[in-house]
């Protein structure tokens, strides 16, 4: 069993497979979310543009729709940002750098990655002000 040491060797192949699955599922979810929101925004925009036509289902005022549209646009932007992070994380899985903190370069604990597969920084760097705990048990 001479496995070549890679940068993410500590996680193990099973873990990386698992994380890849999580990322792919999350990507699908976010894509659907983004598509749905984009469609909503387009619909709300179109409805507002046609505001002088008769609308049967109770839309009369434009203000509520603008609020809805702004909210949807914000959610859409959030979903797109999440997608970029997921894509970047998938790239890191492929390139063998997955799980490395983008800030301090330490390995991000697997428990955190399971909760947040697209995490780019460790809790210490993310938290910033959190008391910096040096892991007592260092890896061999
Ligand atoms: Zn860090």
């Amino acid at each position: 069993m001479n496995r070549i040491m890679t940068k993410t060797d500590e996680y193990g192949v099973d873990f990386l497979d698992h994380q890849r699955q999580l990322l792919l599922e999350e990507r699908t979810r976010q894509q659907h979310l983004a598509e749905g929101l984009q469609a909503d925004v387009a619909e709300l925009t179109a409805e507002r543009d046609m505001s002088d036509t008769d609308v049967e289902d109770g839309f009369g005022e434009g203000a509520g729709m603008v609020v809805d549209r702004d909210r949807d646009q914000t959610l859409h932007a959030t979903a797109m940002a999440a997608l970029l992070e997921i894509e970047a994380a998938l790239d890191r899985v492929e390139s063998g750098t997955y799980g490395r903190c983008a800030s301090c370069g330490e390995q991000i604990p697997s428990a955190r990655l399971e909760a947040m597969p697209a995490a780019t920084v460790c809790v210490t760097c993310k938290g910033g002000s959190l008391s910096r705990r040096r892991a007592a048990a260092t890896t061999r």
Side-chain angles (χ1 to χ4, degrees):
M1 309 271 271
N2 345 324
R3 270 177 49 75
I4 298 160
M5 280 292 282
T6 64
K7 289 171 191 161
T8 50
D9 192 63
E10 287 171 47
Y11 295 126
V13 176
D14 286 350
F15 178 74
L16 289 173
D17 274 350
H18 177 63
Q19 293 303 108
R20 187 189 287 115
Q21 281 309 312
L22 288 179
L23 287 163
L24 290 173
E25 283 167 21
E26 184 65 10
R27 183 171 68 173
T28 304
R29 212 169 62 84
Q30 295 290 348
Q31 272 168 346
H32 286 159
L33 194 63
E35 281 165 19
L37 288 165
Q38 199 166 35
D40 277 358
V41 170
E43 199 175 311
L44 289 166
T45 303
E47 277 170 10
R48 199 171 66 119
D49 288 347
M50 307 186 303
S51 60
D52 56 351
T53 58
D54 288 333
V55 181
E56 290 174 19
D57 51 351
F59 289 117
E61 299 292 309
M65 278 191 278
V66 172
V67 171
D68 281 351
R69 192 184 57 175
D70 285 353
R71 186 205 58 202
D72 284 353
Q73 273 174 334
T74 303
L75 290 173
H76 181 255
T78 304
M80 293 309 286
L83 273 173
L84 284 178
E85 285 180 10
I86 291 162
E87 292 290 350
L90 282 166
D91 280 350
R92 291 196 299 277
V93 172
E94 299 308 322
S95 64
T97 58
Y98 180 73
R100 183 155 293 239
C101 174
S103 180
C104 68
E106 304 266 330
Q107 298 260 345
I108 300 172
S110 56
R112 171 167 167 77
L113 289 170
E114 282 188 69
M116 294 184 56
T120 55
V121 293
C122 67
V123 176
T124 307
C125 293
K126 181 78 173 185
S129 62
L130 291 178
S131 60
R132 201 169 298 175
R133 287 196 236 166
R134 283 274 155 208
T138 49
T139 45
R140 289 180 288 135

